[in-house]
Amino acid sequence: MPLWLSAVCAGCVLLLYGVLTGMGVSACRAIGMFVIRMGAEVLGRSYDMQTAVGVMAAILVWENPWYLCHAGFLLSFASVLGIALLAPAFERKRGKGAAAGIAVTLFTMPVQLWFYYEIPVWSLFLNLLILPFMSAVVATGIFVMILPGSGILGIVTCLILKGYELLCLGFEKLPFHTWNPGKPAVWQVVVYYSIMLGISCLGNYGKKINILEQWRKGIAILGQYGQETVFGEQHRMVTTFLERCMKKNHPASVWKMVSVRLLALLAVFVFAVKIQTDSRITFLDVGQGDCILLEMKTGETYLFDCGSSSRTKVREYVLIPYLKSRGIRQIDAAFISHADSDHCNGIIELLETGEEEGILVKQLVLPGVAEEQREQEFSKLTEAAGQETVISYISTGTEWRRGELEIICLNPPKNCDTQDSNAYSECFYVKIGSFETTFSVLLTGDIAGTGERLLTEELTRRNIRSIDILKVAHHGSAYSTKEEFLETARPRIAVISCGQNNRYGHPHAETLERLHAVDASIYQTPTSGAVMIKIEKDTIRIETYLQGEP
């Protein structure tokens, strides 16, 4: 066929393939770049990969600007840019495929961390093992489709893919198979890609100039003026050293290779830097349930409850993603207010699968109820806890101090003997900050009735008043958070965690009225989403997951 007809036919075939597969972002990008390349061939023009990428990105973003926040779009275009900009810097006489793999991994790393918070460490080596066999997979697949009765050749494809699956399972068992630095800050992404740009420039520069040759010429010029002077001997020594380097095949490419790899390591190290200047307490939106995470700026992490009766797999879809986004791999202590599923089923799942996810729970803290009741109430939790998790029971008066953090248990009474799980809910008074500036948080579980009365008495006895942040008890039920309690606690900020349109009607109007009566600012997870309260020096900053909230 003439070149123009061949290009038109090939372009039509690819367009039909794109329609067949749904014209995803990656398919649109690849087909568009191919059509641009065929156009360049037909018109006798040179093809530039960066230009083609830019044209396709502009077309797709013009169609839908939200693609700029789309993981598939960013990964697809970052992969091609990595090959275009970085691969030349890593190429050697052999191993161009390896250079492309390294370039794609490095250039897409910020995108992977931004959306998925972790990097599969061994994936690069795994891809290098399987890539040589992909030609065989494609060839046998095409051959089987064209020739009837040749389906037995599909065994080759099956064996290769099965081997790839076994390799994946094997690599998952290797130590340090996943790196989880968390979601990067904007400044980290900017610094990282600045270093990548430097690597790209260095790679292109190294092709045009031999650094050692230039050094040798410079020394030779200086030697003309110092051959018979006191610098003569030094000149001869340096010249001899450089000539030896040249003979030993140590051109500029060696120095370029070392510099490029050191810069790449430096860029990756940027994501390992964590600068946290505030402590924060986050009320995660788990539906009808509670999940509260306390992060201290000194690095300790504490979890208070995690469960839901309206959403399934809160560990998988809420808790684990948030922990990974924050780069948290260890929970110093998990406090369980009581044994109801909407407060503990997520923690049970975390204890059972935490090792697979790379997240360790060091200590499990349970209410100090009567001995005979512990086995009955907490058997699922204690069974799920592994050998590395310490189990302890606390009651009123137990105190927990570490640095600027102080946690005081205000309920239940020691060896509490009651069948009402809400009555023995753990309640905590949390103080964060230095002696000069302290912020207080009151966590109340599902306390109500007699339990709330005892809690109010304990607050009065300890002269605890004017709470900064109150986690409203029992998801805003009308049977808790009574006037007497609120007159004692006087919260500035009240957070209610419950499910949207839940069958209990939480939060009840009566509770909201009582909170308004004490001038508390109210945040609700059904309307605000997750509520994050950041504490830094003498200020509190409140952020909500859903936009448009106060």
Side-chain angles (χ1 to χ4, degrees), residues 274-280 294-302 332 402-405 432 535:
K274 290 297 176 186
I275 302 174
Q276 183 171 330
T277 60
D278 56 52
S279 297
R280 60 184 65 185
L294 172 61
E295 303 169 66
M296 297 299 296
K297 63 182 179 182
T298 49
E300 299 91 6
T301 304
Y302 303 93
D332 290 275
R402 183 171 295 179
E404 295 186 352
L405 173 68
I432 302 171
I535 301 170

Side-chain angles (χ1 to χ4, degrees), residues 70-377:
H70 188 276
F73 175 90
L74 295 174
L75 285 172
S76 179
F77 280 87
S79 298
V80 178
L81 286 173
I83 294 173
L85 300 177
L86 287 187
F90 291 93
E91 278 183 1
R92 303 183 68 182
K93 291 182 179 179
R94 297 180 180 178
K96 290 189 176 182
I102 293 170
V104 169
T105 299
L106 287 174
F107 218 77
T108 59
M109 186 176 292
V111 182
Q112 291 189 62
L113 291 177
W114 187 271
F115 288 97
Y116 307 110
Y117 322 127
E118 59 187 3
I119 296 291
V121 176
W122 303 109
S123 61
L124 174 62
F125 306 101
L126 192 59
N127 287 333
L128 292 178
L129 289 175
I130 194 61
L131 280 176
F133 298 98
M134 292 312 296
S135 298
V137 172
V138 175
T140 54
I142 293 175
F143 197 80
V144 169
M145 285 192 295
I146 293 175
L147 293 181
S150 60
I152 192 170
L153 291 177
I155 295 175
V156 177
T157 300
C158 291
L159 288 176
I160 293 175
L161 296 179
K162 186 64 178 178
Y164 192 28
E165 182 182 356
L166 293 175
L167 280 173
C168 288
L169 294 174
F171 272 69
E172 279 187 352
K173 297 178 181 178
L174 293 176
F176 196 59
H177 61 83
T178 303
W179 181 44
N180 172 226
K183 185 176 181 177
V186 174
W187 71 266
Q188 290 175 306
V189 176
V190 172
V191 170
Y192 182 89
Y193 276 124
S194 299
I195 296 175
M196 291 296 109
L197 181 61
I199 291 175
S200 176
C201 294
L202 183 61
N204 292 325
Y205 178 77
K207 288 183 176 180
K208 300 176 182 177
I209 187 168
N210 187 316
I211 297 174
L212 286 177
E213 177 65 22
Q214 298 303 314
W215 283 2
R216 190 184 67 80
K217 290 180 180 179
I219 293 295
I221 293 173
L222 291 176
Q224 295 176 2
Y225 300 97
Q227 190 73 29
E228 305 300 330
T229 66
V230 292
F231 299 105
E233 184 61 28
Q234 288 86 340
H235 163 259
R236 282 190 292 272
M237 291 174 60
V238 173
T239 302
T240 303
F241 169 74
L242 292 174
E243 287 176 349
R244 287 178 180 175
C245 287
M246 300 290 286
K247 290 178 181 179
K248 290 182 179 181
N249 194 27
H250 285 293
S253 60
V254 176
W255 301 97
K256 183 195 76 171
M257 179 186 69
V258 173
S259 301
V260 162
R261 280 150 180 76
L262 288 176
L263 283 173
L265 288 174
L266 175 63
V268 174
F269 177 75
V270 167
F271 291 126
V273 177
K274 290 297 176 186
I275 302 174
Q276 183 171 330
T277 60
D278 56 52
S279 297
R280 60 184 65 185
I281 182 165
T282 306
F283 300 84
L284 293 173
D285 180 13
V286 292
Q288 188 66 16
D290 276 351
C291 186
I292 305 158
L293 191 73
L294 172 61
E295 303 169 66
M296 297 299 296
K297 63 182 179 182
T298 49
E300 299 91 6
T301 304
Y302 303 93
L303 180 63
F304 297 86
D305 288 341
C306 182
S308 176
S309 60
S310 64
R311 296 179 62 175
T312 59
K313 299 183 179 180
V314 292
R315 173 204 65 86
E316 181 178 352
Y317 296 125
V318 181
L319 180 59
I320 291 293
Y322 182 75
L323 292 176
K324 288 188 175 182
S325 74
R326 299 289 301 153
I328 296 171
R329 293 179 290 274
Q330 176 176 289
I331 304 292
D332 290 275
F335 298 86
I336 313 298
S337 64
H338 59 297
D340 287 358
S341 63
D342 60 336
H343 289 256
C344 70
N345 58 18
I347 291 183
I348 292 174
E349 294 174 4
L350 177 64
L351 291 169
E352 291 174 340
T353 62
E355 186 176 353
E356 299 174 11
E357 300 285 355
I359 297 174
L360 172 66
V361 179
K362 291 182 63 177
Q363 187 169 357
L364 185 64
V365 184
L366 304 173
V369 296
E371 289 283 347
E372 58 274 9
Q373 197 176 354
R374 294 179 183 180
E375 178 65 26
Q376 176 185 350
E377 296 285 332

